[in-house]
């Protein structure tokens, strides 16, 4: 069975602060894929990043960066110099290499960035 | 292609009524997924189609729920004899044939309220 845990249900920061969203996952598969999605108030899930289990290289995209550590089964997401537009619910998700590739989502972290 | 479209965006229905939602995936995507998201939770997998074949159903999909994808293009999700517990956001997603961990494209969802 797969499981994704996002222990932080809600985080509030002031604009320009850095913030890290934690994600811990459980899977018995050796091949799997991890994702982060952003869900703004409009409701649509917006794809942010995909990482496969064989690639532990950290990634940076503008103000976003991701830290994948297999040793601790974590895939954390950092927003540098947060902005009000970053306010949303962020979901970490996991899928294995089975035929269906269904996603298992964490419970989400609501990020509120105050001006 | 404008992405994954879902209709309607919102639906309010009385308990006991039947409702049907529609999803139009990205045209070249042969995989289509339905997820349900209750308030404050992450999306949960309901069912998955590859072309017109329904290949996987979650135990969350009770016998009051039925999904179809008759020609391998659009899909419908019907809920019969709705209950208040069915109130949720119903999300549709599609993915290309060779998924291998690519991110899905999600629609904006249909928010169902059962009164």
């Amino acid at each position: 069975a797969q499981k994704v845990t996002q222990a932080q249900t809600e985080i509030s920061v002031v604009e320009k602060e850095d913030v890290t969203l934690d994600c811990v996952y459980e899977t018995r598969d050796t091949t799997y894929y991890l994702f982060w999605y952003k869900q703004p108030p409009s409701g649509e899930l917006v794809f942010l990043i995909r990482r496969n289990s064989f690639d532990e290289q950290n990634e940076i995209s503008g103000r976003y960066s991701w830290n994948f550590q297999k040793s601790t089964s974590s895939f954390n997401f950092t927003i540098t110099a947060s902005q009000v537009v970053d306010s949303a619910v962020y979901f970490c998700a996991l899928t294995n290499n089975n035929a269906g590739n269904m996603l298992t989502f964490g419970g989400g972290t609501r990020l509120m960035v105050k001006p | 292609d404008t992405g994954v479209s879902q209709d309607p965006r919102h639906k309010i229905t009385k308990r006991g009524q039947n409702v049907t939602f529609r999803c139009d995936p990205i045209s070249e995507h042969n995989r289509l997924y339905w997820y349900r998201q209750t308030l404050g939770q992450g999306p949960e997998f309901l069912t998955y189609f590859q072309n017109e074949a329904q290949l996987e159903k979650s135990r969350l999909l009770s016998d009051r729920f039925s999904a179809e994808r008759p020609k391998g293009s659009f899909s419908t999700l019907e809920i019969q004899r709705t209950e208040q517990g069915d109130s949720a956001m119903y999300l549709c997603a599609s993915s290309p044939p060779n998924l291998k961990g690519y991110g899905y494209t999600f629609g904006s969802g249909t928010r169902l309220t059962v009164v």
Side-chain angles (χ1 to χ4, degrees):
Chain A
Q2 300 178 123
K3 186 178 179 181
V4 177
T5 302
Q6 295 179 254
Q8 307 147 307
T9 54
E10 199 167 292
I11 299 176
S12 181
V13 299
V14 176
E15 205 170 20
K16 297 184 183 178
E17 286 185 6
D18 299 347
V19 58
T20 296
L21 309 182
D22 297 333
C23 172
V24 174
Y25 62 92
E26 297 175 29
T27 181
R28 294 181 179 176
D29 297 297
T30 55
T31 301
Y32 53 89
Y33 303 88
L34 293 161
F35 301 82
W36 276 94
Y37 284 88
K38 175 181 180 180
Q39 189 175 44
S42 60
E44 185 173 349
L45 283 163
V46 178
F47 169 77
L48 296 178
I49 190 172
R50 167 185 65 97
R51 173 67 71 223
N52 74 53
S53 53
F54 298 109
D55 182 4
E56 286 192 73
Q57 193 172 14
N58 292 329
E59 182 157 338
I60 298 175
S61 176
R63 295 185 298 107
Y64 295 171
S65 63
W66 290 269
N67 184 339
F68 176 29
Q69 292 196 347
K70 288 179 75 172
S71 60
T72 56
S73 297
S74 64
F75 186 43
N76 296 338
F77 172 31
T78 298
I79 302 175
T80 303
S82 59
Q83 299 175 1
V84 173
V85 293
D86 295 328
S87 298
V89 181
Y90 291 87
F91 290 99
C92 181
L94 166 72
T95 187
N96 57 21
N97 206 31
N98 290 339
N101 288 118
M102 287 76 75
L103 289 171
T104 299
F105 284 85
T109 297
R110 179 177 298 279
L111 174 65
M112 293 179 290
V113 182
K114 299 178 181 178
Chain B
D1 203 329
T2 56
V4 177
S5 300
Q6 291 190 246
D7 183 72
R9 287 296 309 274
H10 303 275
K11 177 71 176 179
I12 300 175
T13 190
K14 291 184 178 180
R15 189 170 49 138
Q17 297 293 306
N18 298 344
V19 294
T20 300
F21 312 140
R22 176 179 170 122
C23 171
D24 287 89
I26 292 174
S27 56
E28 60 267 27
H29 286 185
N30 71 334
R31 298 182 180 207
L32 187 146
Y33 305 80
W34 285 99
Y35 287 80
R36 181 175 70 185
Q37 184 179 17
T38 53
L39 206 59
Q41 303 297 317
E44 295 174 295
F45 168 75
L46 290 179
T47 190
Y48 149 65
F49 290 85
Q50 183 162 306
N51 300 312
E52 66 275 7
Q54 188 174 20
L55 297 184
E56 191 82 24
K57 290 196 291 187
S58 161
R59 57 182 170 80
L60 293 175
L61 212 66
S62 76
D63 55 6
R64 295 184 299 104
F65 287 70
S66 62
E68 294 182 344
R69 195 182 182 197
K71 296 181 179 179
S73 56
F74 73 92
S75 175
T76 58
L77 177 66
E78 180 183 17
I79 308 174
Q80 296 182 327
R81 306 181 303 281
T82 51
E83 302 173 356
Q84 287 189 321
D86 297 332
S87 295
M89 174 81 88
Y90 290 84
L91 292 162
C92 177
S94 69
S95 70
N98 299 314
L99 177 59
K100 298 301 183 189
Y102 274 98
Y104 298 10
T105 301
F106 279 87
S108 297
T110 294
R111 183 170 294 284
L112 173 67
T113 302
V114 181
V115 298

